[in-house]
Each structure stands twice: as structure tokens, then as C-alpha cells.
Amino acid sequence: MTANPAPRRGRRPARRPRTRSAAVATGVLITGLFTAPAHARNGTGAGASASPGAPIGTVARTVGDARFEPGPCPKTPEPIAALEGARCGTLTVPENRSRPDSRKITLGVAIVPAKSGNPKPDPIVWLAGGPGDDAVGEAKMAIDGGLNRNRDVIFMSQRGTYSATPRLTCPNIDEFNARATGLVYNAPSTERLHVDATRACREQLASRGADLSAYNDTESAADYADLRAALGVDRWNLFGISYGTHLALIAMSQHPEGIRSVGIDGILPPSTAGSALTWSSAKQGFDGLFKACAEDPACNRRYPDLSATFERLVRALEAKPVTTTVTLPGSRKQVKVVLDGGALVNWLTSATHVAEGVPRSLDELAHGKPQRIAQQWAAGKYSPQAVGRVAHGLVYGVFCSEWTPYETQTQALRGGQDVYPSFPRSVLAQAPQLTSLRPDCDVWNVPAAPRSIRDATRSDIPTLALSGGFDAQTGAANGPYVARTLNRAKVVTVPYEPHVVFATSKCAQKITSSFFDNPAAPDTACLESLDPPEFEIGP
């Protein structure tokens, strides 16, 4: 699941601004096309097999119904320097493996070579967030974090995403999400417009011939298994962020062969994914941030009992929304913003990425100054990076076949009531990050996945389960939860960090690198030297 937060303002040297977020495409996750200036090597022709010592991705190869073909690097919205020198191409697979007459689709592949002159033989495969984000577009995050220190890193666009063909993006949904910041978040009229946008997206994609029932984790996991075979790789490692952890856990269940180890960061368990889980995650992340403020003398003195302030504001805004006008950062455009209880909950879910300013922002709102929060709420939705990049066809393919069939509306509502019993029902009816999920899935109309998709992943594959103490999108409790059935799992929570710690914490990057070097004993010593954020203290 994915957000587009502003850079952190703290002075802690161990942090770096997030290069991109991990925000749910339905409301929280997140233009022009460029061909990345990478130089692909040509393959050796149809039916060629990888020769010993040939770099991964330099040989064309067909295995079963899948074919890898070396070629130009996938298109990305902006040039990505991390892809310079990458070996690239495409993987062609059936759109729907259950149908003999299925059409073929192509997935963009980019392989960034290891920096080491003597790389390890088992590469790392990057599984992107979302659902609906493009792995190739996240190459900067992976390479900036040093993931290719001594291993090649493989990026493949999951089916339907930006650098795949067909591309199942729907800018109309992104554009509506921006306009919706000027509407009452929880109003029935807003939901009707939301569902109208989803229906229009579905009709558009179906009219192009897309088999929308084929965009799900089962097909995607098979795509990656086919990629390993087509590249001639004996063993590899998986590293998934946010929704990519959901896919990684399913791959471990359905295609464990050839997987040496798995890192999962910002964990979303397939067995519990849904509205109730997002409420639990939000509460964990909010409480982690509020606790850090309470333990900081200056923050606690200036902003006491933030949790109570937040809950009071949610109730007050739901009863009487606040409307204001803000200027979007980096432009002169002014937009109307309506803040009600649901909007505030969803703002805070992503604002944990800029935790240092949250106490001051909540205090200003409590004293009649909504501009800081309103500007942040609108800026993420109106950002060019939030339009036309998320593959909504994959978003709803996963949500509507794997989540909503196995969570009732009553269970979803109870998930909110259990953690925030004081919230009005209208707020609880819209789970964080999953606005209008059930009516959206009604119009998306894809078959339910087999119930086994909800089974807990059981595996002996060494696994690193990473979480952030401030993660309000996939709570830190998900780490111990998945580890119950992963016999060789190491659970690590990095304090004071938001969703996807690899993107913001050098400590998390060190732990990840050490894990892939030695899955049995990752080095977590850096956790002992981490400091809490320096909270902004207003006048």
C-alpha cells in the first residue's frame, strides 16, 4: 500500500527523505513518458539458452508459455539514473493461464548489475508496493539503499502496471481523488461519485479487451516464477515493500522453488488483509507517534495528550466539517479543501511519514488553523506523481477477488469500533486507505479467488520481517503475526520510522543487506543507536 509525503525536516543523520511513497491507490498509495537511458544488450536469438557465466538478462529464452527477450529498458515517467547500465527486456506470458486461448501480455524487466566485481550468484528481486505501483519506477529507492552492493537486482513491472502492456492505469480515478479533497469525505454523494469513477475505469479497461479477472496475486506470482525460469536463474531472493510483501508471501506459498530468502518491509498479510486490518494498523502507527511526543519533554509540555486531541478533532470535524482554501506547493493554484473526520484520519495515516510536524499541525487545527493539514492533504492528491501511475486494474483485481469476499461489512466495521469506539459510525464505515471499497468492488465484478488465498503462509524459507514503529499503513504487529508460521523468520521493528523503513532508514538498509548476506543472523546492532524525532515546537 502506498503515500507521497513531504521530505522529513528532522536533523537526524540516520534518516533520508523518502524517494517515493508506498500509498494505497484508493485514497492514501501513491507524466510524461521517457525511455530510461539504460543500454540493453541484445539476446542471442530465439530459443537460446543461457551460457555459463553469461550475465542475467542477456539471452533470449522460452520456457513453457513464457518468453524473455532482451531489449530496451522499460519506459518510466521520469528518467531514472539508477537504470543506467541496466540489462533490460520483456517477459511475455499468458494474460490468464486458466484459458488456453488467452492473449499474451508483456512485462517490462530491468536488471541493475551488482556494484561488486564478483557478485553473488543469487540476485534480489524487487516486489513493488501498491497494489498497482511499478517496480521499475522504484529502482531509485532500491539502488539508493545499496541493494545492489554485491547482487544483481531485478525489477519487473507487475502485470497491468506502468511499464507493462497492457497498462491498466485510470487517470480519471486519480483526478477524482484530487477533486474529492474539496468534498465531504464521508458523504453519500461523494461515495456515489467515487463509484462512478471506478465504474468508468472498469468500462474503459474492459473495452480494450483486458481480462480483469486475471489481475491478481496468483497470476503475478506465476509471472515471477516464469521470469526465474526464463532468465535461467537457479536461486534468487525476494524483497517486497508494502503490498509487495503480500505478493511475496503468496509467492512463498505457491512457488517456493528457487527462493533462497525473503525480505518483507511494511507487511501486509494476505490472510488478514482488509478494512479491519487497516484500522488496527492506523491505531498502531498513531499511538507510536503520540507516545514518542509524550516521551519528549518539550513536545509533551507543548502538546499534551495528543491522542485525546486527535480523537476529539475527528468527532468535532465529523459533526461540523471545516472548509478552507490553500495554495498548492510549487504553484499558484488555489483549491478548496474540506476537512471532516474521515479526511483527518486519512491525512494522519500518511502524515506519519513527516512525523516531526504532526503535533504542531494537530494543535493548529485544534486552535482554528487548518491550513497546514489542508495543504498537505491536497498536495499529495494534486501532485503530478499521483496521476496516471497507479494500475487501478490491478488494485481492484486484488482487493475485489482476495479481500472483500472474505471480510463482511460487519467485520470491517467492528475492526474500527474495536480500536476507536468513540468515532462516529460515518467515520468507521470508511476504513483508512480503503475508501468506498465494498461498493467499488460491487461494480468491479470479478470472481472471488479460491479461499486458500487467505491461508497463512507457512514456510521454512529464511525471512526478514521489517516494520516501522510509526507505520500507520501496515502496523508493526503484522511482523510477529506472519512470523508465527514462518519457521526461520527474524522480526525487526525499527523505531520512529513510518511505512517502508528501507526508504527512510539507513539502519534498515544495513539490516537488509546483512540479512541477504547471512539470512540466519542479520546484523541489527544499529537499532541501539537510533534517536527519536525532533518534533517541531510552534509558538
Side-chain angles (χ1 to χ4, degrees), residues 445-536:
N445 190 28
V446 291
R451 182 168 287 276
S452 59
I453 205 76
R454 303 288 288 187
D455 292 345
T457 300
R458 300 179 182 278
S459 178
D460 293 325
I461 297 171
T463 305
L464 174 66
L466 280 169
S467 299
F470 289 175
D471 188 347
Q473 292 168 260
T474 57
N478 292 344
Y481 171 80
V482 298
R484 297 179 311 166
T485 53
L486 301 176
N487 296 332
R488 299 171 68 188
K490 173 68 174 179
V491 178
V492 176
T493 298
V494 183
Y496 317 124
E497 292 292 341
H499 186 57
V500 184
V501 294
F502 185 87
T504 57
S505 167
K506 286 191 176 295
C507 179
Q509 294 164 4
K510 291 178 182 178
I511 293 169
T512 301
S513 293
S514 70
F515 168 76
F516 287 123
D517 285 345
N518 183 5
D523 183 359
T524 61
C526 59
L527 294 172
E528 302 300 322
S529 60
L530 298 181
D531 297 319
E534 296 181 13
F535 290 103
E536 295 179 25

Side-chain angles (χ1 to χ4, degrees), residues 174-193:
D174 306 321
E175 290 161 358
F176 171 76
N177 286 336
R179 295 194 304 273
T181 59
L183 305 174
V184 175
Y185 189 86
N186 295 317
S189 57
T190 303
E191 179 165 277
R192 285 193 294 272
L193 292 171

